[in-house]
Amino acid sequence: MKIAMFVEGCYPYVVGGVSSWVQMLLEARKETDFIIHTLLPDREQSGQFKYEMPENVLEIREAYLNDNDVVRPFRKRTRLNEEEKKCFKKLLFGDDIDWLGVFRFFEKEDISVNDILMGEEFFEIVQDLYIERYPQCVFTDFLWSVRSLYLPLFTILKVPVAEADCYHAISTGYAGILACKGHYLYNKPILLTEHGIYTREREEEIIKVEWTQGIYKDLWIRYFYTLSGCIYDCASQVISLFQQAQKIQLELGCPKDKARVISNGVYIEQFADIPGKDPEDGHINVGAVLRVVPIKDVKTMINAFALAKVKVPELKLYIMGPTDENPEYYQECLEFIKGFQAEDIEFTGRVDVKDYLGKMDMTILTSISEGQPLSILESMAASKPCIATDVGGCKELLYGGETDGLGKSGLIVPVMNVDKIADAIVTMATDEALREDMGYNGRLRVKAFYRNEQVTRTYGELYEQYKDWK
């Protein structure tokens, strides 16, 4: 069986998180062949893989959101006929979109995205949209905003999609749209697994940015809602990692009968005999397994740790994970440490977490946004309590689901609340019995509900279910 998998901005260029999950699934499903469609902003990262490809990965196809509009010289200029104009108008207006017509149009040879965006037909469609819905704007600003909005989508729509038995998108957005193209063109089933809710993440980003304002923020947000609507409609199953994420999917328009929860997992046996803490180590060790990037809010973690260390001088913080994804932010963190004159903070770089977790007394995650963090599951598998911000599935992991029946395996704290995070560190550091109880609960929870063996078996059953789909 051949699966075409679609990822955006992660695998195989970024370590951890979604990338680790993809690698785990590929390695576990040795009897299944995969073609990976991976989307990047541009060609700068091309070929810079951080993972060794399993033998069952037949091919990796890179595509670029900001790619050059390469077409054959002396070809006929791309124009839209009346039917195509209707199709594009539905797309821009978001009304009863003819996605099959859109995908078929971009299957034509020598389509020029620039021709379309700068053409008379597209101009007329944008003009109609402007008159009907946005007459309060300056038209020239509106026109160029719409052109910039659809440039990456049209660029991705030109990308050829491999024929496969099943299409598996690991997000909505552009990866989801490319998977939908395969579904529509080859009449094969499509699965969606959302680790985070892509549409909401983009919405939060757009609300915060300064490069677009007012009605144009609404344009961008509506655009991403349109992209997610396409795959929610045509997917056979829409999978989330935890209950709260599923609720958001339903709010965004996912049909209830398609929605399903399949949690992340770990191989718990790998954490059974990891190296323990040196009896001579006089520190209380706090471990953070993460990529040093802004979304992990490492600065808040450093700030809270520095405050906690005033009350508990024995504290030491290990920040474990790659620092090269955002070198500027890493340097800012180093300067932040100097500014606080904070001591006992060590950046280890990328490590095998099994070499470190056993030496920790607790772990911490202060992210602004998460799905269902693998680092928390690994901490729980290693019987270590965790402090985590109230994002994504963190609370469900640490406090248990509705029918869990197990005790807490950590403490949940508010996002970016330095004082509350510092208090949680102090609470955990000064109560060894609490740490042991929470660590014990965490390992029981992983053993009962979050095992990779179950995850890979479930996806294998899903793939087989759609093997002869018609």
Side-chain angles (χ1 to χ4, degrees), residues 118-148:
M118 302 302 292
E120 180 180 347
E121 301 89 351
F122 192 82
F123 177 91
E124 291 173 355
I125 295 169
V126 176
Q127 190 175 49
D128 289 344
L129 179 65
Y130 169 79
I131 292 170
E132 182 173 322
R133 298 185 181 177
Y134 304 99
Q136 70 274 31
C137 302
V138 176
F139 178 69
T140 51
D141 293 344
F142 182 78
L143 175 63
W144 283 105
S145 294
V146 174
R147 283 171 172 164
S148 65

Side-chain angles (χ1 to χ4, degrees), residues 2-17:
K2 185 188 297 180
I3 307 296
M5 183 176 284
F6 300 80
V7 291
E8 179 182 336
C10 54
Y11 188 81
Y13 314 95
V14 177
V15 174

Side-chain angles (χ1 to χ4, degrees), residues 101-232:
V102 172
F103 295 133
R104 282 178 173 169
F105 175 83
F106 282 96
E107 279 291 280
K108 292 182 179 181
E109 292 185 3
D110 290 326
I111 291 292
S112 168
V113 172
N114 286 332
D115 279 357
I116 299 167
L117 294 174
M118 302 302 292
E120 180 180 347
E121 301 89 351
F122 192 82
F123 177 91
E124 291 173 355
I125 295 169
V126 176
Q127 190 175 49
D128 289 344
L129 179 65
Y130 169 79
I131 292 170
E132 182 173 322
R133 298 185 181 177
Y134 304 99
Q136 70 274 31
C137 302
V138 176
F139 178 69
T140 51
D141 293 344
F142 182 78
L143 175 63
W144 283 105
S145 294
V146 174
R147 283 171 172 164
S148 65
L149 193 68
Y150 284 92
L151 175 59
L153 176 61
F154 291 175
T155 300
I156 289 302
L157 286 172
K158 286 180 59 177
V159 174
V161 177
E163 187 169 2
D165 298 303
C166 181
Y167 295 92
H168 189 176
I170 314 302
S171 71
T172 62
Y174 299 110
I177 284 293
L178 200 56
C180 289
K181 181 178 178 180
H183 162 77
Y184 274 101
L185 294 181
Y186 299 113
N187 191 30
K188 295 295 184 179
I190 183 170
L191 304 175
L192 169 64
T193 299
E194 286 202 87
H195 290 253
I197 305 301
Y198 182 99
T199 307
R200 285 289 171 86
E201 291 171 355
R202 300 293 80 75
E203 183 174 9
E204 290 171 4
E205 290 173 358
I206 292 163
I207 290 170
K208 294 175 183 177
V209 298
E210 298 182 358
W211 53 261
T212 185
Q213 296 296 326
I215 195 66
Y216 300 110
K217 287 183 182 284
D218 296 335
L219 267 176
W220 276 97
I221 291 168
R222 185 174 67 85
Y223 166 80
F224 283 114
Y225 273 69
T226 298
L227 300 190
S228 67
C230 178
I231 192 166
Y232 284 156

Side-chain angles (χ1 to χ4, degrees), residues 270-290:
Q270 294 182 357
F271 295 88
D273 298 311
I274 56 177
K277 186 177 180 181
D278 186 342
E280 300 300 318
D281 186 347
H283 292 102
I284 298 173
N285 296 325
V286 184
V289 181
L290 48 77

Side-chain angles (χ1 to χ4, degrees), residues 10-61:
C10 54
Y11 188 81
Y13 314 95
V14 177
V15 174
V18 178
S19 295
S20 295
W21 181 91
V22 170
Q23 184 76 358
M24 176 276 297
L25 186 59
L26 298 177
E27 291 177 344
R29 300 299 309 166
K30 290 182 172 62
E31 64 275 33
T32 305
D33 291 331
F34 289 88
I35 294 174
I36 309 297
H37 284 270
T38 182
L39 278 59
L40 294 165
D42 49 51
R43 293 177 179 267
E44 188 174 336
Q45 276 187 287
S46 178
Q48 298 180 28
F49 300 165
K50 298 292 179 67
Y51 291 87
E52 184 176 344
M53 292 301 104
E55 292 183 0
N56 57 332
V57 175
L58 305 180
E59 185 181 2
I60 292 188
R61 297 190 179 189

